[in-house]
Amino acid sequence: MTYEAILTRSFSRYEQKKLGYGALVGCLLIFLSFFTVFKPYLGPLPILNMRLSMGIAHRMFATKETESSQKQEMITVAQKKTAKPELLLVSTSQQENVTSTPELRLNSTDPIENATRTKTEIPVSSTDHHVAKNASMEPVSEVLLNNTEHPVEIEESIPLNSTDHQDTSLSIAENVTQRREPLCNILNPRTEVCDIPGEVRVHAKSYTVYASSPEMASLDDGRTSWKIRPYARKTDRMAMSSVTEWSVVPASVGQREIPKCTQNHAAPAILFSAGGFSGNHFHDFSDIIVPLYLTARPFDGEVQFLVTNYRSWWVSKFRAILQNLSKYPAIDIDQEKEEVHCFPSVIAGLNRHDDFKINPSMPPHTTMSDFRDFLRTSYSLKRSKAIELRASDARKPRLLIISRKRTRSFTNAARIAKMAKAVGFEAVVAEADMNVARFAELMNSCDAVMGVHGAGLTNIVFLPDNAVLIQIVPLGGDWLSRTYFGDPSRDMNLKYLEYKIGARESTLSDQYPIDHVALKDPRAFHGGKWDDFKKTYLDGQNVKLDVRRFRPTLQKALQLLHEQRR
């Protein structure tokens, strides 16, 4: 007997009928459960609306959701929160008559001090916390797009699969980001720089730079503009008084008449001033050359220089540097009154980090050593390292004694040179002049240099690495000496020694008694007044070096040149 027959006979007809009803009820229950679970997905597609609300006091994303799309809406909002907004603050400086509006930028990092920034970004903080004179900082409300203090609003919905409105909020935010790029950084305490993309027209007759590309139209509401003086020492009124003021205007089509191009250039341009304190060798480098290097070097020569306050002697003096930074002859833009020069982009003003310094953590992330290598290339200097003396080395390192004719000069330079030779140096006495190439070659041939604090020491940029700088600090010159040459020299791979003269080594001892406050306490004497300090301690004293007292300093310099091999 088969297995099926045995199973059939084990049940009565009634029991078989009962089993069939039970199976039917079970199937119905399973079907109802299936329908209940999957019912939300059998109806219309969920709908979603994202709306960007731009208010005066705040801007926020407002979302609209239906009951059936709650889960997907939460996921979408979470994705939108990945766009972190940041307000680009713009100050209003009364001194520079600058007006501006706050800019909204999405997907940015937090404004961290010394953080990497793009060219067109306005930093919220600066490495220097000094505030420009007569500058006023007006508070600006912060813009938050994902602030939890603002609730999610409910609004009429738009189908998610609509081709006309898909991801509407994101495209609006992208447009805001594209059209809200700042033109000018006016928060840097040392300089003001406008980085202007798109079609740019430079109209010399009105001293105006027009940002005339359509993308810039949203920045111009008929009143927004910037006025800058393109010289990297903006808080010094005396320096800036001889620098021409330029206007930077984002021009809107139909609101402002824009002059037509008369000359078109393929390369971008940098507009800067050769005014200010140019002619003083230190300020030539600190205010113009180093900032110009920071601004122009990333272009690798493909940049046109527009020089306002053009001085032909200054351009000739630094021709080698200018030609190594740009492939094109510099344009005296002030003389182009009848021309409108057009460029693919323009930078008005120069980037500057500090006095005679380069901060590697700031764009373009270069170093003072890189700058010195650039100078060696510009002037074809042969030596990259100073002499390395051995214990029984008969060679004599070369010492340059920088002389000065007017103030802070050595009154006994010949005696100093004689003592230097006795210590073991080959001594040379020379004064810097307008021939930068010739003096650069002389500096590069030396292993050590000494001189009284002054602009002539700026030429240490031409010394080979590991050379020794001996700065003679005149009375009252402690802070200036350390700030402008002492600290910068360490970033140049130089060895630094400092010799502070005594009261009897200053010619001021011929004017005042030895116990006079002018000799004992210079700070109390000038009382912090620059004019008094300059008159007495910069312009009014020379140095008669005590060679016996100074001898150990020269011996230390010789020792440093020996220690290089250890």
Side-chain angles (χ1 to χ4, degrees):
M1 185 177 292
T2 63
Y3 176 80
E4 289 82 356
I6 296 173
L7 181 62
T8 301
R9 290 182 179 182
S10 67
F11 291 95
S12 65
R13 291 183 177 180
Y14 175 77
E15 289 174 334
Q16 292 179 17
K17 187 176 182 180
K18 185 178 179 180
L19 181 61
Y21 288 145
L24 178 61
V25 172
C27 290
L28 289 174
L29 289 175
I30 293 174
F31 178 79
L32 290 174
S33 299
F34 180 86
F35 181 83
T36 302
V37 172
F38 292 95
K39 180 180 178 181
Y41 302 95
L42 300 178
L45 291 175
I47 51 181
L48 172 68
N49 170 44
M50 297 289 288
R51 186 186 66 178
L52 181 62
S53 174
M54 293 289 185
I56 295 177
H58 69 278
R59 299 183 179 98
M60 57 180 292
F61 280 122
T63 63
K64 169 67 180 180
E65 60 181 25
T66 65
E67 183 177 356
S68 63
S69 62
Q70 182 176 6
K71 184 176 180 180
Q72 290 190 10
E73 180 62 38
M74 292 175 64
I75 295 175
T76 305
V77 172
Q79 291 173 348
K80 299 303 181 186
K81 286 185 178 181
T82 59
K84 298 180 180 179
E86 176 186 352
L87 178 66
L88 299 182
L89 301 178
V90 183
S91 69
T92 303
S93 174
Q94 294 177 355
Q95 180 180 354
E96 303 297 340
N97 296 323
V98 178
T99 60
S100 57
T101 57
E103 309 297 342
L104 177 66
R105 179 167 51 82
L106 302 180
N107 298 327
S108 65
T109 57
D110 292 333
I112 302 176
E113 206 165 330
N114 289 336
T116 303
R117 304 186 179 97
T118 59
K119 290 183 180 179
T120 58
E121 176 183 325
I122 296 182
V124 175
S125 61
S126 171
T127 55
D128 194 310
H129 299 285
H130 297 294
V131 179
K133 297 179 181 178
N134 296 330
S136 61
M137 299 290 292
E138 297 183 4
V140 184
S141 300
E142 184 175 4
V143 178
L144 296 176
L145 299 188
N146 59 346
N147 192 339
T148 56
E149 294 179 0
H150 298 290
V152 177
E153 296 181 355
I154 305 299
E155 183 57 67
E156 292 185 359
S157 59
I158 301 175
L160 181 63
N161 60 344
S162 171
T163 57
D164 295 333
H165 303 282
Q166 187 174 6
D167 206 7
T168 304
S169 63
L170 186 57
S171 61
I172 292 176
E174 289 173 349
N175 288 336
V176 171
T177 303
Q178 180 181 2
R179 297 186 179 185
R180 295 287 182 170
E181 293 292 341
L183 291 183
C184 299
N185 175 356
I186 62 173
L187 294 180
N188 190 307
R190 294 181 173 85
T191 187
E192 293 178 345
V193 181
C194 296
D195 194 339
I196 313 164
E199 181 185 340
V200 185
R201 305 182 186 186
V202 180
H203 188 220
K205 188 173 184 179
S206 62
Y207 297 104
T208 303
V209 179
Y210 291 97
S212 55
S213 63
E215 291 78 7
M216 296 294 105
S218 61
L219 284 171
D220 184 13
D221 56 4
R223 59 177 177 82
T224 301
S225 65
W226 291 264
K227 292 186 181 295
I228 71 165
R229 299 177 189 269
Y231 182 79
R233 203 174 189 84
K234 75 174 189 180
T235 59
D236 194 314
R237 292 184 178 181
M238 181 176 293
M240 303 306 285
S241 64
S242 61
V243 178
T244 299
E245 183 180 76
W246 283 74
S247 297
V248 176
V249 180
S252 294
V253 177
Q255 292 186 2
R256 193 188 314 277
E257 183 178 353
I258 308 173
K260 296 181 180 180
C261 300
T262 60
Q263 292 192 36
N264 290 284
H265 302 262
I270 295 176
L271 170 66
F272 69 94
S273 172
F277 289 146
S278 63
N280 176 289
H281 202 55
F282 174 80
H283 289 288
D284 283 337
F285 273 86
S286 183
D287 300 353
I288 305 179
I289 297 299
V290 174
L292 184 61
Y293 170 81
L294 293 175
T295 309
R297 191 60 171 168
F299 292 95
D300 196 25
E302 286 295 333
V303 65
Q304 174 69 63
F305 292 152
L306 307 178
V307 185
T308 187
N309 311 118
Y310 187 98
R311 298 175 179 180
S312 57
W313 56 264
W314 188 91
V315 172
S316 297
K317 179 180 179 181
F318 294 106
R319 188 175 305 280
I321 294 175
L322 297 177
Q323 289 179 344
N324 202 12
L325 285 175
S326 173
K327 299 177 181 178
Y328 311 97
I331 296 176
D332 181 357
I333 193 63
D334 297 346
Q335 298 301 315
E336 301 291 301
K337 301 296 186 184
E338 304 302 322
E339 304 292 339
V340 178
H341 291 266
C342 296
F343 302 90
S345 65
V346 170
I347 297 177
L350 300 176
N351 296 310
R352 177 175 176 171
H353 296 170
D354 206 340
D355 286 313
F356 206 30
K357 282 185 177 182
I358 292 176
N359 187 341
S361 67
M362 298 174 66
H365 307 292
T366 186
T367 65
M368 205 65 181
S369 293
D370 295 333
F371 175 66
R372 279 161 42 80
D373 288 339
F374 163 79
L375 292 178
R376 292 187 189 112
T377 301
S378 300
Y379 290 99
S380 301
L381 302 179
K382 299 177 181 179
R383 303 177 71 212
S384 60
K385 290 187 178 181
I387 192 172
E388 296 180 349
L389 295 175
R390 298 176 176 84
S392 58
D393 206 323
R395 295 176 300 169
K396 291 187 175 182
R398 200 175 197 197
L399 170 69
L400 173 62
I401 303 171
I402 298 180
S403 61
R404 296 170 58 95
K405 290 182 179 178
R406 295 186 295 274
T407 64
R408 282 162 285 142
S409 61
F410 290 119
T411 61
N412 58 341
R415 189 175 180 186
I416 296 172
K418 182 179 180 179
M419 186 267 293
K421 292 177 182 178
V423 170
F425 284 97
E426 174 192 348
V428 180
V429 181
E431 181 177 11
D433 55 23
M434 289 288 290
N435 193 328
V436 178
R438 182 174 59 196
F439 203 77
E441 186 176 358
L442 174 61
M443 287 287 291
N444 186 252
S445 70
C446 296
D447 306 291
V449 62
M450 62 171 287
V452 183
H453 170 80
L457 291 183
T458 308
N459 292 290
I460 60 175
V461 293
F462 303 116
L463 284 172
D465 288 349
N466 298 322
V468 181
L469 166 63
I470 306 172
Q471 182 172 203
I472 310 300
V473 182
L475 292 184
D478 293 34
W479 180 84
L480 287 176
S481 300
R482 180 179 64 256
T483 301
Y484 294 130
F485 297 114
D487 293 342
S489 69
R490 295 181 175 91
D491 295 333
M492 301 181 193
N493 293 330
L494 301 177
K495 307 295 179 63
Y496 178 69
L497 295 176
E498 194 174 82
Y499 178 83
K500 298 180 180 180
I501 69 171
R504 297 184 184 278
E505 292 175 281
S506 171
T507 56
L508 290 176
S509 61
D510 298 333
Q511 304 177 36
Y512 301 99
I514 199 65
D515 59 348
H516 194 275
V517 65
L519 303 179
K520 296 179 63 177
D521 191 352
R523 187 173 186 80
F525 180 75
H526 61 72
K529 298 178 180 179
W530 172 256
D531 290 340
D532 293 344
F533 168 77
K534 183 175 183 296
K535 179 181 178 181
T536 303
Y537 297 100
L538 294 184
D539 300 339
Q541 72 170 318
N542 292 319
V543 175
K544 184 179 181 180
L545 210 61
D546 184 336
V547 293
R548 290 186 178 180
R549 182 171 178 262
F550 179 65
R551 187 184 183 97
T553 303
L554 274 185
Q555 291 173 332
K556 176 63 176 177
L558 195 62
Q559 180 183 348
L560 289 175
L561 293 173
H562 276 280
E563 289 176 351
Q564 293 181 40
R565 296 189 57 83
R566 295 180 182 178

